[in-house]
Amino acid sequence: MADVLSLIPASVLRNLADKLYEKRKNAALEIEGIVKQLALAGEHEKISAVISLLTTEFAYSPQANQRKEYHTLFCMQGGLIGLAAATVGLAAEAAQHLEQIVPPVINSFADQDSRVRYYACEALYNIAKVVRGDFIIFFNKIFDALCKLSADSDPNVQSAAHLLDRLIKDIVTESDQFSIEEFIPLLRERMNVLNPYVRQFLVGWITVLDSVPDIDMLGFLPDFLDGLFNMLSDSSHEIRQQADSALSEFLQEIKNSPNVDYGRMAEILVQRAGSSDEFTRLTAITWINEFVKLGGEQLVPYYADILGAILPCISDKEEKIRVVARETNEELRAIRADPADGFNIDAILSIARRELTSEWEATRIEALHWISALLARYRSEVISYLNHTFDSLLNALSDSSNEVVLLALEVHACIAEDHKNFHRLVGLLVRNFQNDRVLLERRGALIVRRLCVLLDAERVYRQFSLNLEQEQDLDFASVMVQALNLILLTSSELAELRGLVKLSLVQSSGQDLFVSLYSSWCHSPMATISLCLLAQAYNHASSVIQSLREEDINAKFLVQLDKLIRLLETPIFAYLRLQLLEPGKYTWLLKTLYGLLMMLPQQSAAFKILRTRLKTVPSYSCIEQLKGTSSENPYSQILQFSEDNRNQYAANVANVYNAIDFPSRLQQFEQMQHKHRMHSKSKLHSRNSTPSIASQEINISEESRPPSPLPEIMRPPKTWNNPRQLKP
């Protein structure tokens, strides 16, 4: 220490700690001259001693509460100025002493007094100007200090830090010693800071480093990309603009670069596409759009994640996002990836299943388009994952959107192309209709009609009939058959099937269909009668009517009868009404219609409609024709033929009549109706066997609430609101 004091006059040391800046400045100039002389003489050990004195006695000091007792604030400021002066004195030889000079200056950046922090910035600025590129070895520590100083509470310190920051940027851009690999971990760590001043500082450095040709910032973009996207939602417009500008520059570089790590960045973009900030979502989906175009095989393993980000954006409230998302979705779906290259079909299906529950219609529609596209390209693979997908597709049939339901049906139809899955589909539909009667009432007709178009009406109806024939829930079976019957009689899509049923007594194909449907149509008397009228099996229709018992003719039956009477007035049954012009040839038709009339309450609208129609029938010989008809072949006058072909067609009709075996069909119908009667009695008995107190409580409960509405197919006409009108 004595040797060092001999090098620096006591007055210089005293002035270095003076409260007047001019004295401290002059003392620093004295130190600069002393160090310069020592450097010329090659006395580096003495120079180290001088620097050590400035560091230990001036720059480093005790805590602030001790500072007034030991060193003054000005002493510390003088030490910082002295270190800078020593560096200037060393000039070109300063590099070998930087390990002594720089650390105490950097340490002063964390001082509690803003004036110390200010002089530290000033000192480091002067040191950096002298050493330039040799300064790079301390870059990370200086960057970390400047990052904190950029948000300093003192504006003077901020201003000094900005000047120093600009100088450091100049030094880095011209240096060939800067290590981007060592810097990136520090940058990645700082990118999550929310302070706006720090964010501006970071974006500034990213932009500067990216502008240096020898620094590959694009290669490290995945390390700080998420931080840049995070800044897009900053409350400061300036920060959002700077971050967007930096991202736009990087995206342009990606377009022009042959080597880009799309995978890591895709993961970040997928997360940001779900941001609550609109601008962030738009930027992320724009990047994803470019990645889908440019990524190629690199993105194949990430297709599912990308799809998961795109589908919700298709329904975004912002139109720009919707447009880009739709374009990206179409481009992604157009890519034909190979599972061997990592294309995960199960993952894509999982995303589509998830989005089928989206609250947005457009997203649900696109999810179905994806399932359809996958089925078309990878049918065997998709079918293998069917157990995970079928429930979601069935639930889609209950969707509030008709378009979603129709698309779901198309997917179902595509799956059901093979025999096994077709049986499975119809079986699951029957169970769904059973468990959700609202679905049957609201969507049943749409579902059945569309499936008939997509999968062949006859095939669909045969399978429904086969399933319902063995149905144990008799109430449901009756309702389901009534629904299928109404669809058969009214839907334009089933015109060809109706035509085939009409030929039941003429062609074997029609006869086979009639028998197939009849086995389940027996669950509903009115459906059975309707089928017979459609098939022109009027004798059997009359037999069915005659077999009905008192308990069969209830409110539900009369509702269905009312519907049938009204249907008889539609164009579908025009052939039947025309046959009434020849009562002598269609006596069993007349008997059937009169049988229906006799079951209707006289005050009902249906009674008046049918009676009016029957009044128009020519009256000649009607009574005579109704006598003794049972001995004749009841189906010999179904169709009229030319004289030459009369015998041939008569033989065909007789053969088909015998093949159908109507007596067995009537027995089948009666057995099924017996089951329904026993079922009704069992339910009634179950209700009656309930303890009387409980019955009273139930009755009170029932009276206290309004009656639940009947399904549309079970609701009686308005004219039957009066119970007395139910008596025929």
Side-chain angles (χ1 to χ4, degrees), residues 109 398 456 545 552 583 615 686:
F109 285 145
S398 303
D456 179 61
I545 293 172
D552 297 329
K615 283 181 179 180
S686 178

Side-chain angles (χ1 to χ4, degrees), residues 108-269:
S108 299
F109 285 145
D111 196 90
Q112 296 181 20
D113 195 292
S114 60
R115 287 169 292 183
V116 174
R117 299 195 299 274
Y118 175 85
Y119 281 109
C121 290
E122 184 182 71
L124 196 59
Y125 182 90
N126 291 325
I127 294 169
K129 279 201 304 183
V130 174
V131 298
R132 302 297 291 186
D134 295 327
F135 197 63
I136 293 298
I137 60 173
F138 300 100
F139 175 77
N140 278 12
K141 292 182 179 180
I142 295 171
F143 179 88
D144 189 43
L146 287 175
C147 187
K148 298 172 183 176
L149 290 176
S150 64
D152 199 279
S153 58
D154 191 307
N156 291 324
V157 176
Q158 279 192 7
S159 179
H162 290 162
L163 288 173
L164 175 61
D165 180 55
R166 284 199 291 269
L167 176 61
I168 301 300
K169 286 175 180 173
D170 290 340
I171 293 172
V172 169
T173 55
E174 66 186 23
S175 173
D176 56 359
Q177 301 177 23
F178 177 75
S179 174
I180 186 66
E181 291 82 4
E182 294 179 6
F183 169 65
I184 287 298
L186 178 60
L187 176 63
R188 181 174 58 242
E189 180 184 341
R190 289 287 177 265
M191 288 300 289
N192 295 320
V193 176
L194 300 179
N195 187 282
Y197 296 106
V198 175
R199 284 184 163 183
Q200 282 184 310
F201 172 80
L202 294 172
V203 175
W205 268 100
I206 291 172
T207 303
V208 167
L209 293 176
D210 187 48
S211 66
V212 180
D214 296 333
I215 298 177
D216 181 24
M217 285 294 283
L218 184 60
F220 295 95
L221 181 57
D223 291 286
F224 55 88
L225 179 64
D226 189 61
L228 283 175
F229 267 93
N230 199 29
M231 294 180 190
L232 293 176
S233 58
D234 196 277
S235 57
S236 169
H237 174 73
E238 186 176 357
I239 293 175
R240 294 198 304 271
Q241 195 173 42
Q242 289 177 353
D244 180 51
S245 177
L247 286 168
S248 298
E249 184 62 32
F250 278 119
L251 185 58
Q252 190 60 44
E253 291 178 29
I254 289 172
K255 294 178 182 179
N256 299 327
S257 175
N259 300 313
V260 178
D261 184 0
Y262 289 100
R264 286 180 62 196
M265 289 189 284
E267 294 176 354
I268 297 169
L269 297 175

